Every structure is written in C-alpha cells, then in structure tokens.
Amino acid sequence: MSEQPMPQDAAQENEQAAAEQAQAAEQPMTVDVILASGSPRRKELLEREGVSFTIRVSEVDESLEPDLEANPPEAVKKLAERKAGAVVQEVLADAGFTGMAIVLGADTMVVCDGEIFGKPASISDAKRMLRRLQGNTHEVLTGVSVWLVSAPNAEDVSLGFRTFVDRAAVTFHPQTDEQLAEYLKCGESFDKAGAYAAQGNGAKLIKHIEGDLDTVIGLPVTRLLKEFPDLK
C-alpha cells in the first residue's frame, strides 16, 4: 500500500514545532538565584551588587556536635550547608520542578579564644560576650555554601555544591561596663553572632578590622561573585 502524503496543515505544524524546539535548545537556560537566609544584611549585600534573587528560608537544626564545636571553620561550613541543603530539598519537592537554580546558604560566627559566640540567649549572655570581646581581637568566620540544581526535566536532576569560609580579624576598643550597657540599650545585639552589629551602632566598638567588612556583616559578597560570576 502506498503512503498517503501528509496534509499540508499537519506538515506545517510539525515544521513549526521542530523549529520551536530547536530555538529553545539554542537559548541558554535561565538560572534562578535563591538566598537561603532571612537575614536583612545578606539581602542588602546581594542587592548592593545587583544580584537578582528570591528568598526562601527553611528551619534547620543549628546545634553542633562536640567535634564541630572544637573546630569553628568546619562548624560554620556545616551550618551553611545545612541551610542551603534544606532549601534545595524544598525546591526539589516542588511539583514538576524543572530548570536551573543556584541556592546560597551562609552562616556567620564569632570566635574568641577558641570559643564560638553565636547569637546571645539573653541580655546577660550578651554582656558576657561583649566583656570578653572588649579590648581584644577576635575572629569572624562566614561560611558560604553554593548549590547548583539542574533539572532539564523532572526525572533528570543533578546536584553539586561547594562551600568556602572567609575570615576577618576584629579588634575592639576597650570598653567599660557602662559603655557596654549603653550599647546594649540600642537592642541590636540579640540576633547577631557575638552580640554586636558591625554595620550598626556596634561599629563604634570596633577599633580595627583585618579582612572584609562584608564577612563580618554576614556575606563576603565580593569573593562570592569572584568565585561564582554566574550569579550576576
């Protein structure tokens, strides 16, 4: 039996569909940047550099095992990875997710004489931290974990990530208890590692920073964009 010629309309539709597929294949896939942090400071730092992104935060366990408490650089890396990884899992759980996404997780900690200072649990804890820091030099570590999620289709998903730690040394002016109490009255201590905000009134406490101020604030954005230029 001889083949019947394809109707002209159907042939044109097939040609058009093939052309659209070829055009789509030639166009680079857009990458969605997701900041896995609710920190206003990190948001402002990325906006300052012109990065387009959305924010998505997932609650994670920030407790540390004894071996991590004894190793602050590994601890800050692990927490950054937990934060980014939790959001990656949520992205992949979205029904029918396809495309490419870069997920950024970050964590910042203050380290004084080997002790990790996180966010103070109370005003007395904040006083304790600031008393230890006044007149001394401490280290600020910010870990950044960058995850690439690629899903050309829902059944074909690949993941990759890299984490780095940036360091800064911060020296405080000597402070009296009265001066520290006056600083605590401004109320900015309680959601900051080490109980101070380098970008706020806490700047008055600082005598010298060796390193990047952005690392102290919470995101070494210059290094981040140098190592991951596709973010812009």
Side-chain angles (χ1 to χ4, degrees):
M1 182 181 295
S2 60
E3 294 185 2
Q4 297 295 321
M6 182 180 295
Q8 186 174 2
D9 290 346
Q12 290 176 342
E13 289 176 1
N14 287 343
E15 289 176 2
Q16 183 177 358
E20 290 174 353
Q21 290 176 355
Q23 184 178 9
E26 291 174 0
Q27 294 177 347
M29 188 179 294
T30 58
V31 180
D32 296 321
V33 179
I34 302 171
L35 175 61
S37 172
S39 164
R41 281 80 57 190
R42 294 187 179 116
K43 175 178 179 289
E44 290 168 2
L45 289 170
L46 284 177
E47 288 176 339
R48 185 192 73 192
E49 300 300 323
V51 178
S52 298
F53 64 97
T54 58
I55 294 173
R56 187 163 181 170
V57 184
S58 180
E59 293 296 323
V60 299
D61 179 9
E62 296 192 34
S63 62
L64 296 172
E65 298 78 10
D67 59 329
L68 286 176
E69 286 187 349
N71 190 342
E74 284 302 312
V76 79
K77 284 174 63 177
K78 182 63 67 176
L79 291 177
E81 289 169 0
R82 286 181 192 172
K83 293 175 181 180
V87 170
V88 167
Q89 292 302 316
E90 289 187 357
V91 169
L92 293 177
D94 289 344
F97 170 76
T98 59
M100 293 184 68
I102 295 176
V103 179
L104 308 176
D107 189 78
T108 300
M109 60 178 55
V110 168
V111 182
C112 182
D113 297 328
E115 181 184 351
I116 296 173
F117 286 4
K119 298 173 184 177
S122 63
I123 190 167
S124 61
D125 193 30
K127 288 179 181 178
R128 177 189 69 84
M129 293 181 184
L130 292 174
R131 282 173 177 160
R132 288 277 303 277
L133 298 178
Q134 67 86 23
N136 294 313
T137 298
H138 61 273
E139 189 172 42
V140 178
L141 308 176
T142 292
V144 182
S145 191
V146 181
W147 293 58
L148 176 63
V149 184
S150 177
N153 56 69
E155 289 74 35
D156 184 12
V157 178
S158 62
L159 296 174
F161 73 93
R162 184 158 63 88
T163 307
F164 67 85
V165 177
D166 208 65
R167 302 167 181 255
V170 180
T171 302
F172 269 23
H173 292 289
Q175 303 285 324
T176 64
D177 281 353
E178 290 74 17
Q179 288 172 316
L180 294 179
E182 188 67 26
Y183 171 65
L184 287 169
K185 288 179 182 178
C186 77
E188 68 181 16
S189 298
F190 299 103
D191 65 340
K192 311 291 190 305
Y196 73 94
Q199 76 281 7
N201 291 324
K204 300 175 184 177
L205 306 176
I206 297 172
K207 180 179 181 181
H208 176 69
I209 295 176
E210 184 178 340
D212 189 349
L213 173 61
D214 290 348
T215 298
V216 183
I217 294 173
L219 189 67
V221 69
T222 300
R223 177 176 174 182
L224 174 65
L225 295 177
K226 182 178 180 180
E227 297 194 16
F228 300 92
D230 289 343
L231 288 170
K232 289 191 72 172

